[in-house]
Amino acid sequence: MVLIFYMGANIMELFSQMADMSDEEIAEIHREHNRNSIKSLLPCQHYYQDGNCIVHDMFAHEVVERTKELYCDAFLTAHLEVPGEMFSLAMKAKSRGMGVVGSTQNILDFIKNQVQEAIDRNRDDHLQFVLGTESGMVTSIVAAVHELLGTNESSSGRARIKIEIVFPLSSDSVSKMLVNGSHGLNSVIENDLAKLAVVPGVAAGEGCSIHGGCASCPYMKMNSLRSLLRICHQLPDRDNTLWAYEASRFSATTPLGKSVAEVGCEPILHMRHLQTTKRLPEKLVDQVLRQSSHGPAVS
């Protein structure tokens, strides 16, 4: 429900902003839409509004204000699931060519394109990218940037390009610790001049902050098939009540008679089609249009 809350609110914000664009600007985003069609979508959208996430909420008011103050010249990125303020900030940056909103793949492609353009300009440069998303995609971003820069640096006479990836954090996520040689992090001290700001994380030994210090959701990391099976085996079931809900992998069907396996795989296949062809599958478009004709869609 939390993802529906953030993503639903952001889709409403996206459509609201698009409704103020010209038909030409909207066509660049989706060539089959215009102002009238976007406006007709607004009253049809409904989403769950009572939700919160300890990780996504780290991109809240304070972080947005600090981002505007300290990184006004940086490229801003936002996943579709971040809270509205960060999403709106990235949307404004996108409108002037300085940002992107979308999936993790959209964010990665945007960063790669900006780095490649800097390489092609062949002059010394320093690019900053503010990430409005969970920390899980950092590895892929760093690997992609290293690959591009490595190719650039291997060529003689090439410019020096510095890439900075910025995670905006709440001030509550930062500890004030003293580094003492080989003894590592010691106790907090009173002298502000001697304090070192440390973002809580596993590498530093102090663990992740509940305020999102490591930008990684501890609850999502607990979800696995092994954990689910362990819980099921531990539940009391003297009357074999739970066995009535045992999954039948190949024989179970939906109320409409479709295979559960087929229905479960369908969204994944739609996403793969979109990533490969950059177009929504005709089957999905047809399903959405038929559903919208029978009642309001739910985001």
Side-chain angles (χ1 to χ4, degrees):
M1 285 298 191
V2 169
L3 300 186
I4 295 175
F5 164 63
Y6 288 129
M7 188 178 291
N10 290 340
I11 289 176
M12 286 291 289
E13 173 70 16
L14 175 63
F15 284 162
S16 296
Q17 292 195 25
M18 289 181 65
D20 293 329
M21 296 179 180
S22 66
D23 288 343
E24 292 74 16
E25 291 172 325
I26 294 174
E28 291 181 4
I29 299 174
H30 197 298
R31 60 187 181 186
E32 296 179 12
H33 279 284
N34 53 42
R35 292 185 68 180
N36 290 333
S37 65
I38 295 298
K39 288 180 179 180
S40 69
L41 291 174
L42 291 175
C44 299
Q45 303 303 310
H46 303 273
Y47 63 94
Y48 183 78
Q49 300 188 29
D50 298 323
N52 188 270
C53 171
I54 64 171
V55 174
H56 286 99
D57 201 51
M58 66 181 282
F59 304 105
H61 180 71
E62 179 200 350
V63 171
V64 170
E65 292 303 312
R66 289 179 63 82
T67 299
K68 290 192 289 188
E69 176 187 356
L70 301 176
Y71 300 102
C72 56
D73 295 326
F75 293 101
L76 304 184
T77 72
H79 197 272
L80 289 169
E81 295 163 6
V82 300
E85 287 185 281
M86 192 67 187
F87 182 84
S88 297
L89 191 64
M91 279 290 293
K92 292 177 181 177
K94 180 179 183 297
S95 67
R96 61 177 192 275
M98 290 294 293
V100 62
V101 295
S103 66
T104 53
Q105 187 63 50
N106 295 145
I107 294 174
L108 178 60
D109 290 343
F110 175 81
I111 293 176
K112 289 169 61 178
N113 289 338
Q114 296 302 323
V115 173
Q116 186 60 57
E117 288 180 11
I119 292 174
D120 294 340
R121 288 193 294 270
N122 194 27
R123 61 171 182 264
D124 292 354
D125 207 346
H126 177 198
L127 306 183
Q128 291 180 317
F129 297 93
V130 176
L131 295 186
T133 184
E134 204 251 3
S135 63
M137 69 175 298
V138 171
T139 301
S140 56
I141 291 177
V142 172
V145 170
H146 268 297
E147 182 178 356
L148 290 172
L149 294 183
T151 303
N152 178 62
E153 291 173 356
S154 63
S155 304
S156 58
R158 302 298 294 179
R160 297 188 62 183
I161 300 173
K162 179 180 179 182
I163 307 299
E164 184 178 355
I165 308 297
V166 180
F167 257 113
L169 297 172
S170 164
S171 59
D172 293 327
S173 302
V174 180
S175 302
K176 300 297 185 180
M177 310 294 282
L178 174 65
V179 175
N180 183 16
S182 61
H183 294 89
L185 294 171
N186 287 337
S187 60
V188 178
I189 60 175
E190 296 299 326
N191 186 357
D192 286 339
L193 295 177
K195 290 181 180 179
L196 175 67
V198 178
V199 177
V202 177
E206 69 279 5
C208 293
S209 162
I210 61 171
H211 299 284
C214 60
S216 180
C217 180
Y219 302 110
M220 289 180 64
K221 302 301 183 289
M222 294 167 64
N223 295 331
S224 68
L225 289 177
R226 186 184 300 274
S227 298
L228 179 59
L229 284 173
R230 187 182 301 117
I231 291 174
C232 290
H233 289 150
Q234 291 176 354
L235 290 173
D237 191 26
R238 296 184 181 89
D239 301 324
N240 291 328
T241 305
L242 289 177
W243 290 110
Y245 298 94
E246 182 182 12
S248 301
R249 182 175 298 178
F250 300 108
S251 61
T253 58
T254 69
L256 297 179
K258 288 189 175 181
S259 162
V260 169
E262 178 186 355
V263 174
C265 292
E266 198 171 43
I268 300 174
L269 297 176
H270 288 333
M271 179 61 72
R272 287 182 178 176
H273 184 280
L274 176 62
Q275 291 176 332
T276 303
T277 66
K278 308 303 180 184
R279 290 181 58 84
L280 291 174
E282 293 184 7
K283 181 179 179 180
L284 175 61
V285 174
D286 181 61
Q287 289 176 343
V288 172
L289 291 176
R290 281 190 285 108
Q291 181 181 353
S292 62
S293 65
H294 289 87
V298 178
S299 299

